[in-house]
Amino acid sequence: MGKGDLKLLGTGVSPFVIRTRISLHLKSVEYEFIEEKLAAKSELLLKANPIHKKVPVLIHHDKPICESLIIVQYIDEVWSHGPSILPSDPYDRAVERFWAAYLDEKWFPSWKGVGLVHGEEAQKKIAGLKEGLVLLEEAFPKCSKGKPFFGGDQIGFLDISFGCFLGWARVGEIIHKVSLLDTTNTPHLAGWADRFYAHPAVKGVLPEPQALYDFLKPFIKPAPTN
């Protein structure tokens, strides 16, 4: 299959697009990445995803697949020759899907707007992020079963679902000068994050926190001065 048979519509800074790209890289699948502009959505995007009108959209043999978690599962099923992304055990699959849904529906939404607030409101957002990380810290040994990743010896569904947000979490650290992932409060996640960043399927896909900060800088609200 050539690149023309598989297209990915997205933006380089979107964690949901990053999630899709890591999955494709893990499977060693060639694809054409079509960069979308946030301010002007292309006709191709609007046609491929007329319901939500957002990225990512994976177009496989001219058939669009939307929503990142659905796309990741599609990739795992279609390119079964590569490393498995979802666990083979039904219960383990259910657990990882649960946490992935938690990340998308509750944890990451609590991060949104973190660069636009200060003071008490910012502290509430940071507290919410930390509470979620404590839950994931507790989940890591159970999911990983003593191995390096949530997925075991190899990065899997939950690693990809969570890892795509790492750059954005660290931007929050830069903006508010706090520590979210550290060896004191979240030692399992701190070690996992380092291993995730170093994985070959992740390198070159996950933006560095400083690059994301520079991208967001025009939108960050300055802290009030006395």
Side-chain angles (χ1 to χ4, degrees), residues 102-103 105-111 128-130 132-133 162 165 169:
Y102 167 78
L103 286 162
E105 295 169 11
K106 188 169 183 179
W107 188 77
F108 187 65
S110 72
W111 183 94
L129 288 176
K130 287 184 175 181
L133 291 174
F162 183 22
F165 296 124

Side-chain angles (χ1 to χ4, degrees), residues 28-105:
S28 300
V29 177
E30 290 190 351
Y31 64 98
E32 178 185 356
F33 182 57
I34 301 175
E35 186 87 23
E36 287 285 333
K37 294 181 180 179
L38 297 176
K41 297 174 181 179
S42 71
E43 289 186 15
L44 180 58
L45 173 60
L46 297 175
K47 181 180 178 181
N49 190 0
I51 306 300
H52 296 299
K53 302 178 177 63
K54 63 182 182 180
V55 295
V57 178
L58 188 70
I59 303 177
H60 188 205
H61 295 307
D62 296 323
K63 296 179 180 178
I65 303 97
C66 306
E67 297 298 304
S68 63
L69 291 180
I70 294 172
I71 294 172
V72 172
Q73 293 175 72
Y74 178 85
I75 291 168
D76 195 34
E77 291 173 3
V78 172
W79 290 279
S80 56
H81 60 274
S84 295
I85 295 176
L86 283 154
S88 58
D89 180 79
Y91 179 75
D92 290 342
R93 282 201 304 274
V95 170
E96 293 206 12
R97 283 170 171 156
F98 168 84
W99 283 112
Y102 167 78
L103 286 162
D104 280 11
E105 295 169 11

Side-chain angles (χ1 to χ4, degrees), residues 136-157:
L136 287 158
E137 172 76 11
E138 294 171 352
F140 182 82
K142 300 173 185 176
C143 293
S144 67
K145 300 174 183 176
K147 295 184 177 180
F149 300 100
F150 282 98
D153 291 317
Q154 178 64 270
I155 66 172
F157 186 67

Side-chain angles (χ1 to χ4, degrees), residues 144-216:
S144 67
K145 300 174 183 176
K147 295 184 177 180
F149 300 100
F150 282 98
D153 291 317
Q154 178 64 270
I155 66 172
F157 186 67
L158 184 50
D159 297 282
I160 296 168
S161 300
F162 183 22
C164 67
F165 296 124
L166 282 178
W168 292 92
R170 287 178 169 168
V171 166
E173 293 180 324
I174 294 172
I175 293 171
H176 292 290
K177 297 179 175 59
V178 296
S179 178
L180 295 174
L181 291 171
D182 57 56
T183 54
T184 301
N185 297 309
T186 54
H188 291 307
L189 293 185
W192 164 80
D194 290 339
R195 293 188 292 274
F196 185 81
Y197 264 106
H199 194 280
V202 176
K203 285 184 176 180
V205 179
L206 194 65
E208 290 298 322
Q210 187 61 49
L212 286 174
Y213 177 78
D214 292 340
F215 169 79
L216 284 175

